[in-house]
Amino acid sequence: MALAFDEFGRPFIILREQDQKTRLRGIDAQKANIAAGKAVARILRSSLGPKGMDKMLQGPDGDVTITNDGATILEQMDVDNQIAKLMVELSRSQDYEIGDGTTGVVVMAGALLEQAERQLDRGIHPIRIAEGYEMASRVAVEHLERISQKFEFDVNNYEPLVQTCMTTLSSKIVNRCKRRLAEIAVKAVLAVADLERRDVNLDLIKVEGKVGGNLEDTELIYGILVDKDMSHPQMPKQIEDAHIAILTCPFEPPKPKTKHKVDIDTVQKFETLRKQEQQYFDEMVQKCKDVGATLVICQWGFDDEANHLLMHRNLPAVRWVGGVELELIAIATGGRIVPRFQELTPEKLGKAGMVREKSFGTTKERMLYIEHCANSKAVTIFIRGGNKMMIEETKRSIHDALCVARNLIRNKSIVYGGGAAEIACSLAVDAAADKYPGVEQYAIRAFAEALDSVPMALAENSGLQPIETLSAVKSQQLKENIPFYGIDCNDVGTNDMREQNVFETLIGKQQQILLATQVVKMILKIDDVISNSEY
Amino acid sequence: MPIDKIFKDDASEEKGERARMASFIGAMAVADLVKSTLGPKGMDKILQSTGRGHSVTVTNDGATILKSLHIDNPAAKVLVDISKVQDDEVGDGTTSVVVLAGELLREAEKLVTSKIHPMTIIAGYRMAAECAREALLKRVMDNKENAEKFRSDLMKIAMTTLCSKILSQDKEHFAEMAVDAIFRLKGSTNLESIQIIKKPGGSLRDSFLDEGFILDKKIGIGQPKRIENAKILVANTAMDTDKVKIYGARVRVDSMTKVAEIEGAEKEKMKDKVNKILAHGINCFVNRQLIYNFPEELFADAGVLAIEHADFEGIERLGLVTGGEIASTFDNPESVKLGHCKLIEEIMIGEDKLIHFSGVAMGQACSIVLRGASHHVLDEAERSLHDALCVLSQTVNDSRVLLGGGWPEMVMAKEVDELARKTAGKKSHAIEAFSRALVAIPTTIADNAGLDSAELVAQLRAKHHNEGCNAGIDVISGAVGDMEERGIYEAFKVKQAVLLSATEAAEMILRVDEIITCAPRRREDRM
């Protein structure tokens, strides 16, 4: 480590406890960072595409997750390296923003880093590489815009949406019944979508899972599913035309927030208190009954006495319903959440056509279906599957599909998948490179090479000859000047993605390229890594 | 420069072939572990817990064995999980599902070593599973229309399920009990209303089904031991000191006399409550919570039978069978529904006194009293009976049945084999492998019974070449026999669940090409 000395030969201390830190500078730092980034990308590379493999992750408590969702893999990977953490962040931000393509973005970034390493070896300054990448990404994004197609669909003709969701689902373990799941996802999104404003609030879609049955039993419920049962075992299990009182106050004696004491010193007081208490319970139940509620859903617990009174007055009730569910129920049934019994009025009740309790399997698990709600803007996707891991993975897949459908509603543009878009961009960037004078030209070419790596990985994972396939498709695209040719992953026999119906959203693709470029630029600009050496 | 650390300390990563090997081996090890318990001549396992007392369980129920294992291999955990789900969903076939998944992976391993890509294997397995399901559907029998025949089907299913368990000696006895119990449910799958009471002593044969309801509680002292035409109030209320529930209330007194007064008031309150309860015109009172001596005495005075501390399930069941509602307030005696039964009496089973409610209003519930030499025997008997009840209740809903004794596997294997011959491409290897995995089940059954499996399975295969053959392995006589004649039946639902979840699990494990193990969470030592 370079040290500065003063006139007496003592070193200047620049970093505190300098000898306990390791420091990497200049080209070494960049090389080390690139290697780390590549290592992360390498892990995900084999998960890309419809024939991608899964990863098995064993968590710190011994729980097992099996997935091929890039964001999930990285999040659970327990990464320690700083650069690797950046890659994890990258995948996460793609997940937040778009919801799909989380694997692709990391593979892309890895490829860009790999190319950057080669340019560094040639002696090109990292900043020039970064700038070249920036220019290239702009070209690519513009080109994507050009080759994208508008997609026409409406509430009745949602076939194109289903097709796009199927592309997303085909890379997951659920591809056995991707058609069904894609339809469910699209219907769910359409049910909650505000087509006027082109907005979808995904919070209104609840994804619930229960182990058992098989994937084909997965269903879309136009209503809410609550993992609770009636508070009293003898309450009716099915209520038609329910008027629901949604309460956030317990059926218990009041607990004023200010500290207080009730002192009992005479028998009379004891008696009054007792009477008061009974009357209190009675009033609570009566109040609910008076406003015309036929079902009470409460966030808190019930006292035994209240429970019996409810049962006695023929007022079914559900207790300990979580806050999120309560809100959803309120939205769906058009009711208001009532914090005090005194504020209950008939207008504040929610309405649902049918509330029923359903039990599953041989264990005593029961769930409550609230259906035919007044405001059907909330839906539930109820997933069944062979085991816990399957359900978790299905949940993640459905989430991806939902995001894709939402993105399409926001922006109707699509590009073709199967690597077709990447190949088209690569050709465009390569052609644009020659127009730039200066060193950046090399970086732009490198960017084009990096774009090729996504279709390459796709071909590799599908068991095809990567270089051969890629060059064939590339020349085909160039010759016919049609940007729809991609890698034929499923061995269908054609590589025209229009025929195969493999679509991806335009914003998803653009975001992938932009995010990957940004992260790579950031990594390239680091020339000094100071870290605590171990121990 | 090499990257030495991307992961945290202690985290590890296994890739490609190694990862696949690790998961194959883990899964197969688990399958081999339970393999020897499959079939009527399967062996049992002793499980010793690491907890205090090192309690011992003897069982051959796949789900129970796997549940108690501490497994570190992630792939093995997948298998444990499917077995658990099988138990929850259909109740039986917990061993078969693990063995089948293990065999599928064993075959897959061979294919992988001969350079077939896992994705191709998965595609083949999927086709095969679908085809096998179709084959089963073609051969199912449904006797729902014919009540008598249906009952005999159920009997046979129950006997087939039980014959692999400890109850096999008295399987007819128990099968009859199970079928009777299920018929009382009248189509609901709510097994809660069948109560199983275990009492050590006597022999397994002394177990019996009681149409009434048995509560494992004692009758209070000085209260009648026998009540005819009982009116029962089922309650969940505090009968110790009835607390004031208003928050922050407390008693503050300044002299001894006041204390006495308050105490008197409290007593008065309790007395009031008891009087209110008595106003219902009951002669039996069952409470979930404690009853203190004072109210108990009051009840005894009134000639009412009071039972305290019945557990929650007991209360719910009692409410269900007697048709009474579970009450917590007693102000409106006229509108509370009381439970009724013809006779309440104290009975002795072994050395214990139990309370027996007979002639109840709703006939749904019933109790099964199990007798046996030791706790271990009883526990195992309960598990076996539970399996049988689960299967039966599922069959009542889905009345399709199949023959047993390896028959369904052979039927499926034959169809799958044919599919393999028709399929072009590498997938056909995988389909063939699927059929081999299916045949492994009858092979294991024969092996476990100490029979010459190769010979028997070959015979079976030849027999199955003819359409509509009913041949299966008859373990008792050690030969191939007609399963319909021997009365070995299985529920379609169980077989289908076994097939589908085993394939799903195998697929899941096959898809994995990398295992990343996080560092175990550090636990603070509390020394």
Side-chain angles (χ1 to χ4, degrees), chain B residues 462-478:
Chain B
K463 283 240 169 105
H464 269 270
H465 197 62
N466 307 329
E467 276 305 318
C469 152
N470 291 334
I473 291 178
D474 181 1
V475 180
I476 313 296
S477 67

Side-chain angles (χ1 to χ4, degrees), chain B residues 276-425:
Chain B
K276 269 186 204 159
I277 292 169
L278 291 176
H280 289 73
I282 52 163
N283 46 19
C284 174
F285 176 72
V286 184
N287 191 16
R288 188 170 85 82
Q289 297 173 24
L290 272 178
I291 303 179
Y292 266 24
N293 290 352
F294 176 63
E296 194 178 323
E297 188 193 319
L298 292 175
F299 281 124
D301 283 348
V304 168
L305 173 64
I307 301 161
E308 65 167 0
H309 226 226
D311 51 2
F312 200 75
E313 281 176 22
I315 283 286
E316 271 190 34
R317 278 204 199 106
L318 199 59
L320 196 70
V321 288
T322 60
E325 72 180 55
I326 302 172
S328 296
T329 54
F330 309 99
D331 294 328
N332 311 305
E334 58 285 346
S335 63
V336 171
K337 267 188 275 168
L338 295 179
H340 293 279
C341 82
K342 290 231 171 62
L343 179 67
I344 301 175
E345 61 181 340
E346 199 175 55
I347 53 168
M348 297 274 290
I349 297 177
E351 288 184 339
D352 295 310
K353 289 180 188 158
L354 303 171
I355 305 168
H356 182 221
F357 298 78
S358 61
V360 290
M362 256 177 268
Q364 272 204 5
C366 53
S367 301
I368 292 176
V369 179
L370 289 178
R371 307 299 313 275
S374 72
H375 275 293
H376 302 150
V377 173
L378 284 175
D379 285 347
E380 178 66 357
E382 187 191 2
R383 275 192 293 275
S384 317
L385 201 59
H386 178 255
D387 279 6
L389 288 174
C390 287
V391 175
L392 288 179
S393 70
Q394 295 293 333
T395 319
V396 169
N397 285 347
D398 181 352
S399 59
R400 289 174 288 183
V401 293
L402 294 165
L403 295 176
W407 176 85
E409 283 81 10
M410 293 311 288
V411 170
M412 289 190 276
K414 185 177 161 237
E415 289 287 322
V416 171
D417 254 344
E418 251 158 53
L419 177 74
R421 257 173 255 148
K422 277 184 270 175
T423 313

Side-chain angles (χ1 to χ4, degrees), chain A residues 278-298:
Chain A
Q278 272 175 354
Q279 201 188 344
Y280 189 78
F281 280 122
D282 221 38
E283 260 171 23
M284 280 192 293
V285 178
Q286 197 54 43
K287 186 79 198 167
C288 298
K289 199 75 189 166
D290 282 347
V291 294
T294 53
L295 174 69
V296 177
I297 290 178
C298 184

Side-chain angles (χ1 to χ4, degrees), chain B residues 110-168:
Chain B
K110 283 181 209 155
L111 293 176
V112 170
T113 30
S114 63
K115 297 272 178 281
I116 294 181
H117 196 264
M119 283 297 166
T120 320
I121 303 177
I122 289 171
Y125 275 7
R126 274 189 190 171
M127 284 172 70
E130 198 44 46
C131 159
R133 206 172 86 98
E134 295 291 318
L136 281 187
L137 274 173
K138 255 187 268 167
R139 301 290 301 270
V140 290
M141 290 169 283
D142 194 341
N143 288 325
K144 184 122 196 163
E145 310 306 316
N146 186 340
E148 206 162 297
K149 205 129 183 256
F150 185 49
R151 194 188 156 88
S152 88
D153 277 0
L154 286 185
M155 261 314 270
K156 285 172 190 161
I157 291 177
M159 268 160 51
T160 313
T161 309
L162 290 174
C163 76
S164 63
K165 313 279 164 145
I166 199 167
L167 303 176
S168 63

Side-chain angles (χ1 to χ4, degrees), chain B residues 8 18-19 34 49 82 118 162 172 183-184 223 266 276 289 373 391 423 434 437 468 479 485 499 507 514:
Chain B
K8 285 206 179 108
R18 271 183 60 87
V34 291
S49 82
I82 55 168
L162 290 174
E172 274 171 44
F183 268 103
R184 296 184 74 89
Q223 292 165 348
E266 239 171 35
K276 269 186 204 159
Q289 297 173 24
V391 175
T423 313
F434 195 91
E485 276 171 28
L499 181 72
E507 184 184 316
E514 184 156 337

Side-chain angles (χ1 to χ4, degrees), chain B residues 179-357:
Chain B
V179 173
D180 280 343
I182 287 296
F183 268 103
R184 296 184 74 89
L185 290 180
K186 299 186 185 75
S188 93
T189 51
N190 187 2
L191 290 182
E192 275 174 67
S193 30
I194 300 176
Q195 190 193 22
I196 299 181
I197 292 174
K198 297 175 283 185
K199 284 285 161 205
S203 74
L204 279 173
R205 195 169 274 282
D206 296 335
S207 310
F208 60 93
L209 173 81
D210 196 283
E211 51 179 332
F213 179 82
I214 293 177
L215 198 63
D216 194 355
K217 284 285 168 275
K218 289 203 179 65
I219 293 177
I221 300 154
Q223 292 165 348
K225 300 277 186 247
R226 182 188 158 94
I227 295 176
E228 279 178 41
N229 283 332
K231 286 188 223 113
I232 309 162
L233 181 67
V234 187
N236 174 16
T237 187
M239 290 298 274
D240 34 11
T241 47
D242 211 357
K243 281 194 289 285
V244 177
K245 281 170 191 157
I246 289 173
Y247 189 69
R250 59 169 190 178
V251 178
R252 170 172 285 190
V253 288
D254 43 17
S255 70
M256 281 305 285
T257 44
K258 290 262 175 72
V259 177
E261 272 170 28
I262 298 275
E263 205 189 335
E266 239 171 35
K267 241 181 181 171
E268 200 58 34
K269 186 180 171 190
M270 188 45 74
K271 205 167 183 176
D272 266 4
K273 195 165 183 179
V274 171
N275 282 337
K276 269 186 204 159
I277 292 169
L278 291 176
H280 289 73
I282 52 163
N283 46 19
C284 174
F285 176 72
V286 184
N287 191 16
R288 188 170 85 82
Q289 297 173 24
L290 272 178
I291 303 179
Y292 266 24
N293 290 352
F294 176 63
E296 194 178 323
E297 188 193 319
L298 292 175
F299 281 124
D301 283 348
V304 168
L305 173 64
I307 301 161
E308 65 167 0
H309 226 226
D311 51 2
F312 200 75
E313 281 176 22
I315 283 286
E316 271 190 34
R317 278 204 199 106
L318 199 59
L320 196 70
V321 288
T322 60
E325 72 180 55
I326 302 172
S328 296
T329 54
F330 309 99
D331 294 328
N332 311 305
E334 58 285 346
S335 63
V336 171
K337 267 188 275 168
L338 295 179
H340 293 279
C341 82
K342 290 231 171 62
L343 179 67
I344 301 175
E345 61 181 340
E346 199 175 55
I347 53 168
M348 297 274 290
I349 297 177
E351 288 184 339
D352 295 310
K353 289 180 188 158
L354 303 171
I355 305 168
H356 182 221
F357 298 78

